[in-house]
């Protein structure tokens, strides 16, 4: 049984930083790319960042230069470091294992507000 457990969301002022973590149970973690998505109220879920099993990364234009995705395969964990946060970054953030496998975290709320 594969489970994804996220942590690290919260309330932060504009310009602040937060780090999210996603711990994955099971031994398949290092095989697959990991993704961070977000969904703001009334909007579709959007892909924020991707990291392959060997560490290649890709980012949405809206977060390039501000967000950093990383992973530690030995810990079965993927991270999202978010700097210079803006109110428009407010959303529920989800991690995903691979694509189309149906493995998602429960979501963690990030709120950027003064």
């Amino acid at each position: 049984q594969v489970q994804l457990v996220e942590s690290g969301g919260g309330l932060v002022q504009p310009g602040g930083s937060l780090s999210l973590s996603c711990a994955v149970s099971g031994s398949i973690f290092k095989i697959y790319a990991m993704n961070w998505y977000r969904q703001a109220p009334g909007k579709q879920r959007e892909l924020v960042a991707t990291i392959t099993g060997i560490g290649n990364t890709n980012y949405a234009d809206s977060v390039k230069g501000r967000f950093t995705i990383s992973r530690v395969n030995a810990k079965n964990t993927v991270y999202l470091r978010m700097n210079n946060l803006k109110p428009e970054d407010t959303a529920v953030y989800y991690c995903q294992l691979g694509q189309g496998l149906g493995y998602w975290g429960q979501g963690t709320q990030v709120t950027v507000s003064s």
Side-chain angles (χ1 to χ4, degrees), residues 52-76:
T52 68
I54 59 170
N56 295 321
T57 60
N58 196 34
Y59 299 92
D61 287 343
S62 58
V63 307
K64 275 181 185 175
R66 301 187 299 120
F67 289 14
T68 302
I69 188 172
S70 60
R71 65 191 294 162
V72 178
N73 287 342
K75 294 185 177 181
N76 279 14

Side-chain angles (χ1 to χ4, degrees), residues 62-104:
S62 58
V63 307
K64 275 181 185 175
R66 301 187 299 120
F67 289 14
T68 302
I69 188 172
S70 60
R71 65 191 294 162
V72 178
N73 287 342
K75 294 185 177 181
N76 279 14
T77 302
V78 63
Y79 305 93
L80 186 68
R81 175 66 177 176
M82 304 181 291
N83 295 326
N84 190 22
L85 282 159
K86 304 176 181 180
E88 51 264 41
D89 295 318
T90 295
V92 178
Y93 284 70
Y94 299 89
C95 59
Q96 181 197 37
L97 175 71
Q99 281 286 349
L101 302 175
Y103 296 130
W104 291 87

Side-chain angles (χ1 to χ4, degrees), residues 1-4 6 22 24-25 28 32-35 37 45 94-106:
Q1 183 75 9
V2 177
Q3 291 185 323
L4 286 70
E6 299 157 6
C22 174
V24 182
S25 65
I28 64 172
Y32 291 100
M34 292 294 301
N35 309 298
Y37 282 78
R45 192 172 295 191
Y94 299 89
C95 59
Q96 181 197 37
L97 175 71
Q99 281 286 349
L101 302 175
Y103 296 130
W104 291 87
Q106 80 283 4

